[in-house]
Amino acid sequence: MKLEKIRVCNLEEPMGFAMDAPVFSWTVEGAAGKQQRWASLTITAAGESVYESGETADADSLGWQVRLPLKARTRYDFTLTVCADDGGKACASGFFETGKRDEAWSAQWISPKIQKNSALLRKSFRAEESDRPARLYLCGLGLYEAYLNGEKIGDEYLAPGYHAYDFHLGVQTYDVSGLLHRGENQLVIALGEGWFKGRLGFDGGYTDLYGDRLYAIAELWQGNTLLTVTDESWEELRSPVTSANIYDGETWDARLSPELLGPAEAAAPTGCGPLQDRVNLPVKEMDRLPVRELIRTPGGDTILDFGQNLTGWVQFTARLPEGGRLSLTAGEILQDGEFYNENYRTAVSTFTYLSDGTQREVRPHFSFFGFRYMKLVCDCPVRAEDFSAVHLRSAMPQTARLETGSEPVNRLFQNALWGMKDNFLEVPTDCPQRDERLGWTGDAQAISETACQALYMPAFYRKYLWDLRAEQSVLGGSVPNVVPRIKRDMIGESGSCPWADAGVIIPWNTWRYYGNRALLQESYPGMKAWVDFQRKREEAIEGPHLVKDGFHFADWLALDNPQPGPFGATDPLFIASAYYCRCAQIVAESGRILGLPEAGEYEALSRDILAALREKYFDGSGLCRIPTQTAAALSIVFGLSPDAKAQGDALNRLVEANDSHLNTGFVGTPVLCPALSQTGHHDTAVSILLQEDFPSWLYSVKLGATTIWERWNSVLPDGHMNPEGMNSLNHYTYGSIAGWMISWLCGLRPMEPGYRRAILEPRPDRRLGHARAELETAAGRFVSAWRCEGDSIHYDFTVPFGASAELRLPGEAPWELSAGKHRFTGNCPQTGGRE
Ligand code: BGC
């Protein structure tokens, strides 16, 4: 028996992350017992005991919050012991460490005087010892990388990340013990523009959004000795990065020696929030891919194909003579065998390196790219094996694996996974390649349920929701369409359904999938504020509780509207009211979970909205009057239809009338297959999944997609990009089908938050032959698998320690499964039997 995934505030051994009280979570593997009898926790700081829980029966492995006054810059070591119901025990140790918390800074903000867009700041200092632990507390704006004695500090990139800088400035804490020398040391901070001051936003975008210069603040401590701080004694050096921003890439001229330009200036950013221990996950290298093919195009270009559309950059070994130049320009697809990236719009996306003749490893510093291909321009010969694609994302691990008997479906699952991985860099972005890469709330909420199954999301969402609530605080509770908000006119708007509903849906999905009460509590004020905002607005207009006005993206990019353009046919006010109802219901349920007296008020509001919705949008037989797949599916999944079964039959008819093809957009797509599976039409859901012609998921797979596209037909059957424009080949919303594969095809769903109790309701289908999902849930590792063999079907399940499941097999009464492995054999159902 052993303890795994031991986390403090959703992080493994966190150092310098914002926390009020530590919340411990863990899973148990390899136990002979089935349930936890008790757990105990001891915490020490500098060898002194600061907390002893004793053996506690109600220690919740999904989130055990410990009340303990935390000190700044302190390492806390803990030992967690878990005892099972059979007397078996497991024990593990770990640590968490605080950052500066509210300790005053001895350092001053400094800024380069001469260089505005990238700079190096340097300081030499002495250390009397090298073997005592040392920590660097640092924030650099826009982006920074820090080096101690020539070595890069830490394994994260693009720090301090992208957040609402006007509300808070995240401070990183680094363990620099191994890099410090006894005697003379040199600390260098390299700065670039990033999201803070570089170009951001489409149609040309804006610059200097949060500031018009670069800044840094740092303190380097060894034990209780302050070794160095940023102040006017720092020097400004010439930077080899001659230009860099998020969209356009970077130019690195290695011939420019870091010559001294003069002293740095004491200057602090204005209009920014206070320094605060970080909330964001670090961005790290999470994967690395070699060149799959070096292509020479008919037009004479050289292209590196990495075989996968991904987010990150290319690293290479430079072997160029002095003055040699090498540039790499990103693209997602070839057109007629030639390089193409017009879909990046104004984002230049080029990394250029100018050599000083030294052989070295080269990569960008202050930019990232969305790409499968890189057009290589170089005045000397190169070797493909010198290049690799580095996948960067916020460092959350993958938690889901799934395989079926269909190769194209397996590829689709992988594409959906990549779509999420590629768009979870600092904020949940719409896409990683063109001149947007923004935290669009609608895309983020649409994928959030699937994301909570596929990746370990709590820390990432905690940060996004932190920023979202900060933005709400100046919008009277409304939620912007993009978080962090782009401050000026263009996309400063808020309150569009179902973009703004992210403020309620994301924390709720996070609660359902991880059962982390502390996070729900932290998110609750923002959830409530959005519903209150909606209520105030709709009550200002006469009539029942419904959304009555406003601009709503609604079923964005659906295909059912005879009017050309990106808007779907489903009435946006119906969709907005449906979400209003669902959000009020969620606030009521959250209030109840948190023991708040106002829960009843929101319950009553949601009932009123539901009654008004039924009155206005449903007919006498309880069917939604709007004849679209999206309206019918939403009515089922949100529980709006008084007769879900009849509504399911109506949805099925709509799909059959459309030749078993979908025509849904951002709202309808995530709910379409769940609504069918839920109402006895799982067969039809599988039929939609298996379509290969437009519009369908496998259409893109058949055309060679390695990620999910923005439009159902971003690429036309002849391989050309859709001339309508707005074609990202890496948008994740339609990847929500991966969530349905886990929840319905394999039938694994949380019955209680965090999968402490799960539903196992696999839906075998001969067309797929077999399916197997394996999920590292908050409660532990679940497996749900089925395999059709002749007339038989074999099932395999794993339920983790501390959890239980309700098994629902076709034609059988529900059956209780406790922790452990379970195998069953049954008759292969005739449903789904169409070959
Ligand atoms: C983005 C979307 C976003 C939308 C808002 C697009 O440009 O890429 O995914 O949600 O605008 O309508």
Side-chain angles (χ1 to χ4, degrees), residues 690-711:
L690 295 178
Q691 298 297 352
E692 294 184 353
D693 56 341
F694 169 77
S696 70
W697 281 283
L698 297 187
Y699 167 75
S700 66
V701 171
K702 289 284 163 180
L703 281 173
T706 59
T707 38
I708 303 289
W709 300 341
E710 180 170 19
R711 295 179 186 269

Side-chain angles (χ1 to χ4, degrees), residues 183-198:
E184 198 66 12
N185 287 272
Q186 200 174 71
L187 180 60
V188 171
I189 302 173
L191 295 168
E193 295 186 298
W195 297 278
F196 179 81
K197 85 176 279 301

Side-chain angles (χ1 to χ4, degrees), residues 94-282:
F95 75 90
F96 63 97
E97 184 172 316
T98 53
K100 278 185 67 70
R101 295 177 65 79
D102 47 12
E103 180 186 74
W105 283 74
S106 305
Q108 280 177 288
W109 278 104
I110 56 170
S111 177
K113 239 191 258 181
I114 297 167
Q115 301 165 107
K116 290 269 177 263
N117 301 329
S118 67
L120 297 178
L121 299 172
R122 180 179 69 184
K123 171 78 181 177
S124 298
F125 62 95
R126 290 189 63 79
E128 300 312 322
E129 307 172 65
S130 62
D131 47 3
R132 276 171 59 213
R135 299 287 184 265
L136 177 67
Y137 303 91
L138 171 58
C139 178
L141 300 169
L143 296 175
Y144 73 85
E145 287 192 2
Y147 300 83
L148 188 51
N149 300 318
E151 295 275 335
K152 181 177 178 307
I153 297 171
D155 57 355
E156 69 179 275
Y157 300 102
L158 303 168
Y162 181 23
H163 40 272
Y165 305 108
D166 45 346
F167 291 98
H168 62 142
L169 295 173
V171 177
Q172 283 69 48
T173 301
Y174 298 101
D175 180 355
V176 292
S177 317
L179 300 176
L180 203 62
H181 297 167
R182 183 177 178 166
E184 198 66 12
N185 287 272
Q186 200 174 71
L187 180 60
V188 171
I189 302 173
L191 295 168
E193 295 186 298
W195 297 278
F196 179 81
K197 85 176 279 301
R199 191 160 79 86
L200 202 62
F202 48 81
D203 287 343
Y206 303 105
T207 51
D208 298 342
L209 272 168
Y210 295 91
D212 59 4
R213 348 183 11 171
L214 306 172
Y215 303 93
I217 188 164
E219 290 183 5
L220 203 165
W221 290 79
Q222 192 174 37
N224 277 326
T225 313
L226 192 48
L227 290 183
T228 189
V229 298
T230 44
D231 59 22
E232 279 159 313
S233 69
W234 280 58
E235 296 164 333
E236 177 180 352
L237 308 176
R238 184 167 67 171
S239 168
V241 175
T242 58
S243 69
N245 71 46
I246 299 291
Y247 296 155
D248 297 319
E250 175 170 322
T251 298
W252 185 20
D253 189 344
R255 298 167 307 175
L256 300 178
S257 58
E259 79 189 35
L260 183 62
L261 299 177
E265 191 174 26
T270 51
C272 289
L275 287 164
Q276 176 189 291
D277 289 343
R278 73 185 306 164
V279 191
N280 68 332
L281 280 172

Side-chain angles (χ1 to χ4, degrees), residues 577-631:
S577 300
Y579 270 89
Y580 177 32
C581 180
R582 182 71 191 119
C583 288
Q585 211 175 62
I586 290 173
V587 169
E589 281 180 62
S590 305
R592 253 197 312 276
I593 293 158
L594 298 171
L596 303 172
E598 68 230 30
E601 189 191 319
Y602 290 94
E603 183 59 55
L605 173 64
S606 79
R607 269 201 310 269
D608 287 353
I609 306 168
L610 181 61
L613 267 163
R614 286 183 175 168
E615 172 73 27
K616 179 160 184 187
Y617 294 103
F618 287 74
D619 66 16
S621 57
L623 294 181
C624 185
R625 284 203 190 93
I626 302 169
T628 62
Q629 294 181 9
T630 291

Side-chain angles (χ1 to χ4, degrees), residues 726-807:
M726 207 177 73
N727 288 304
S728 142
L729 301 188
N730 209 348
H731 252 61
Y732 49 40
T733 298
Y734 299 158
S736 51
I737 191 65
W740 170 85
M741 292 185 204
I742 296 165
S743 301
W744 293 97
L745 203 57
C746 294
L748 172 55
R749 306 191 289 281
M751 199 170 184
E752 283 174 19
Y755 293 89
R756 172 58 48 76
R757 183 159 168 72
I759 295 171
L760 286 166
E761 191 180 7
R763 303 288 185 99
D765 187 297
R766 284 178 192 277
R767 290 169 289 180
L768 287 159
H770 64 92
R772 180 180 200 275
E774 185 177 331
L775 237 63
E776 300 287 346
T777 73
R781 196 172 67 93
F782 273 93
V783 175
S784 178
W786 53 262
R787 176 177 291 275
C788 296
E789 263 171 26
D791 286 338
S792 303
I793 172 137
H794 303 286
Y795 298 98
D796 259 305
F797 305 106
T798 303
V799 177
F801 175 87
S804 64
E806 182 176 298
L807 177 64

Side-chain angles (χ1 to χ4, degrees), residues 202 345 430-431 434 436 440 443 499 553 556 666 710 726 731:
F202 48 81
R345 305 197 295 222
D430 55 335
C431 55
R434 71 177 176 220
E436 288 201 56
W440 284 97
D443 310 45
W499 270 236
F553 289 112
W556 183 248
F666 275 36
E710 180 170 19
M726 207 177 73
H731 252 61

Side-chain angles (χ1 to χ4, degrees), residues 538-546 548 612:
E538 61 90 356
E539 281 182 346
I541 306 170
E542 299 271 290
H545 284 298
L546 286 171
K548 296 153 193 153

